[in-house]
Amino acid sequence: MSAPLDIDGTAAPPRANGELVFSEPWESRAFGMAVALYEASAFTWPQFQSALIARIAAWENALDQDRPWSYQDSFVVHRALARW
């Protein structure tokens, strides 16, 4: 089973020239953990997306709106994966 990464729009993983890209090495490792857990049938991709969306929303609701959003500050992927 392979993660459904061929999606468009705001839900699509970050890409440049068709290749996945991340700002920091830990971001790619966190995403790799999500894909590995998905491939091990720990959860469905929509379940992961929902958990990630919920963590981002919680972060946004608690955020000082003058600060830009960043994975480094929020660790949202790790928090979304923590439930599995």
Side-chain angles (χ1 to χ4, degrees):
M1 174 176 1
S2 178
L5 302 179
D6 292 332
I7 54 177
D8 294 319
T10 58
R15 294 184 185 272
N17 294 324
E19 298 293 323
L20 291 172
V21 294
F22 299 92
S23 298
E24 300 289 334
W26 74 264
E27 293 175 359
S28 65
R29 289 190 294 270
F31 190 76
M33 288 185 335
V35 171
L37 286 167
Y38 164 78
E39 290 176 348
S41 300
F43 49 79
T44 66
W45 199 252
Q47 286 174 318
F48 171 70
Q49 286 176 313
S50 294
L52 183 58
I53 289 166
R55 294 306 307 169
I56 291 171
W59 182 85
E60 287 176 333
N61 290 333
L63 177 68
D64 173 358
Q65 295 300 318
D66 292 332
R67 286 183 41 214
W69 182 84
S70 76
Y71 275 131
Q72 289 83 356
D73 290 341
S74 64
F75 291 89
V76 294
V77 173
H78 290 90
R79 290 179 185 160
L81 289 174
R83 81 184 258 195
W84 287 283

